[in-house]
Amino acid sequence: MEIKISNLETIGEAAARFADNMGRARVFAFYGKMGAGKTTFIKAVCRHLGVEDVITSPTFAIVNEYTSATTGDTVYHFDFYRIKKLDEVYDMGYEEYFYGGGICFIEWPELIEGLLPDDAVKVTITEDEDGTRTVSF
C-alpha cells in the first residue's frame, strides 16, 4: 500500500489511513533517509492511536513509551540511529518490547536487522522530487 503526504496539513489524514491498515501487526520498521519524515509521521500515527502524552523523538533515550488513551495499547517508539553495538540492544531487553504485545515503531531498523521479528512490517518513507512524501508498506 502507498500513502501520499502532500504537506504537513495532510499528515493527520495519512496517519489515519496508515493506522486503519495496520491490521494485527505489532512491529513496524520505518526505513528512510535522514529528514524523510519518519519521526514526524510516527508522531502523527501515535496521535491518531490516542496517545495524549507529548510525543518526542527517542534519539537519545533510544525508546519512548506511551499509552493509547483510546485502546489502552502500549506504544513504543524506537530510534536506533545512535546504536554503536548490538550489545546495547540486547542490554535494553529488546525481546520484551518486540514480542511483548505492544505496538513498536522502529526508526533506523537497518542497524538491527537481524533482531527484527519475522513478521515486522517494513515501512518506507521517501521524499519525492516535488517535496511530497510517499509511505509504502
Side-chain angles (χ1 to χ4, degrees), residues 94-112:
Y94 79 93
E95 299 99 334
E96 292 179 34
Y97 294 107
F98 292 1
Y99 299 100
I103 298 170
C104 297
F105 297 129
I106 303 166
E107 295 187 53
W108 301 103
E110 51 270 69
L111 299 175
I112 61 152

Side-chain angles (χ1 to χ4, degrees), residues 77-112:
H77 180 187
F78 296 87
D79 185 335
F80 289 117
Y81 182 74
R82 296 193 180 279
I83 290 294
K84 301 291 186 235
K85 296 182 282 186
L86 280 181
D87 285 345
E88 295 174 64
V89 184
Y90 288 115
D91 291 345
M92 71 181 287
Y94 79 93
E95 299 99 334
E96 292 179 34
Y97 294 107
F98 292 1
Y99 299 100
I103 298 170
C104 297
F105 297 129
I106 303 166
E107 295 187 53
W108 301 103
E110 51 270 69
L111 299 175
I112 61 152

Side-chain angles (χ1 to χ4, degrees), residues 9-118:
E9 288 76 37
T10 64
I11 198 165
E13 296 166 26
R17 279 193 62 207
F18 180 85
D20 291 346
N21 287 282
M22 287 172 50
R24 294 180 182 262
R26 303 308 272 177
V27 178
F28 299 85
F30 284 80
Y31 295 82
K33 294 180 180 178
M34 181 77 71
K38 296 180 297 292
T39 300
T40 302
F41 186 68
I42 290 170
K43 287 179 181 181
V45 173
C46 287
R47 280 192 296 274
H48 182 76
L49 292 175
V51 172
E52 295 176 347
D53 297 327
V54 174
I55 303 164
T56 60
S57 174
T59 300
F60 294 100
I62 299 175
V63 62
N64 287 342
E65 180 179 334
Y66 306 107
T67 301
S68 167
T70 308
T71 65
D73 283 321
T74 301
V75 179
Y76 301 105
H77 180 187
F78 296 87
D79 185 335
F80 289 117
Y81 182 74
R82 296 193 180 279
I83 290 294
K84 301 291 186 235
K85 296 182 282 186
L86 280 181
D87 285 345
E88 295 174 64
V89 184
Y90 288 115
D91 291 345
M92 71 181 287
Y94 79 93
E95 299 99 334
E96 292 179 34
Y97 294 107
F98 292 1
Y99 299 100
I103 298 170
C104 297
F105 297 129
I106 303 166
E107 295 187 53
W108 301 103
E110 51 270 69
L111 299 175
I112 61 152
E113 281 284 331
L115 303 180
L116 293 174
D118 292 337

